[in-house]
């Protein structure tokens, strides 16, 4: 269903693929940016990039489950971090890597940006994921209709 490609003639990326190829006819979910807000809309981890990354990933996991997918089926992400410091970007990437998103591995871009949409927000992740076909229950297939 998904073929992840690391191009041998390019620099080998650390725990992500250069491209993900999805066969035609596969359902895809294009997720809005996952943000570090709790269910009541409060910012989680003010001033803490790592804590915000953890909350963003927890929220991303909720988004994925709501559409019938999961971290393993993510094919592409964009990770936005409010910082120009490589060490801060690396700290956020370490959280992403530990999350299960790198199981694929998936294709990803890590970006340092000037600001994000919510006051105090330091991290946001957008994602595209495959929505796997649900297993048919016995007797529910078209041959039983």
């Amino acid at each position: 269903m998904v073929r992840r490609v690391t191009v041998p003639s390019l620099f080998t990326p650390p725990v992500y693929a250069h491209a993900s190829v999805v066969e035609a006819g596969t359902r895809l979910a294009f997720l809005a940016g996952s943000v570090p807000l709790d269910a009541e809309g409060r910012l989680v981890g003010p001033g803490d990039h790592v804590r915000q990354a953890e909350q963003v990933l927890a929220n991303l996991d909720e988004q994925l489950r709501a559409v019938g997918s999961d971290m393993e089926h993510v094919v592409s992400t964009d990770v936005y971090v409010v910082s120009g410091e490589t060490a801060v970007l690396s700290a956020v990437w370490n959280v992403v890597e530990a999350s299960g998103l790198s199981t694929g591995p998936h294709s990803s871009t890590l970006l340092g940006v000037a600001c994000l949409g919510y006051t105090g927000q330091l991290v946001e992740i957008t994602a595209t994921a495959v929505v796997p076909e649900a297993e048919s229950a016995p007797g529910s297939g078209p041959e039983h209709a």
Side-chain angles (χ1 to χ4, degrees):
M1 187 163 40
V2 177
R3 182 172 55 96
R4 290 166 169 75
V5 179
T6 300
V7 181
S9 61
L10 298 177
F11 177 75
T12 302
V15 198
Y16 65 88
H18 289 119
S20 297
V21 179
V22 179
E23 298 293 324
T26 299
R27 291 186 310 147
L28 296 175
F30 299 89
L31 283 68
S34 179
V35 298
L37 302 179
D38 65 16
E40 287 76 39
R42 292 182 300 250
L43 181 71
V44 173
D48 185 340
H49 288 85
V50 168
R51 180 65 191 103
Q52 287 196 18
E54 292 167 348
Q55 183 65 42
V56 165
L57 288 159
N59 291 348
L60 178 60
D61 188 54
E62 289 290 321
Q63 288 174 276
L64 289 163
R65 286 192 286 137
V67 299
S69 192
D70 55 34
M71 294 283 204
E72 184 177 334
H73 287 91
V74 170
V75 294
S76 181
T77 59
D78 291 314
V79 180
Y80 301 93
V81 181
V82 176
S83 181
E85 297 179 31
T86 304
V88 173
L89 273 67
S90 292
V92 169
W93 183 253
N94 289 341
V95 176
V96 171
E97 187 177 16
S99 72
L101 277 174
S102 61
T103 301
H106 72 293
S107 301
S108 187
T109 299
L110 176 63
L111 302 156
V113 299
C115 68
L116 291 166
Y118 292 98
T119 301
Q121 180 183 358
L122 301 173
V123 180
E124 184 165 337
I125 298 176
T126 61
T128 302
V130 171
V131 179
E133 293 295 322
E135 295 291 324
S136 298
S140 65
E143 69 279 0
H144 293 35

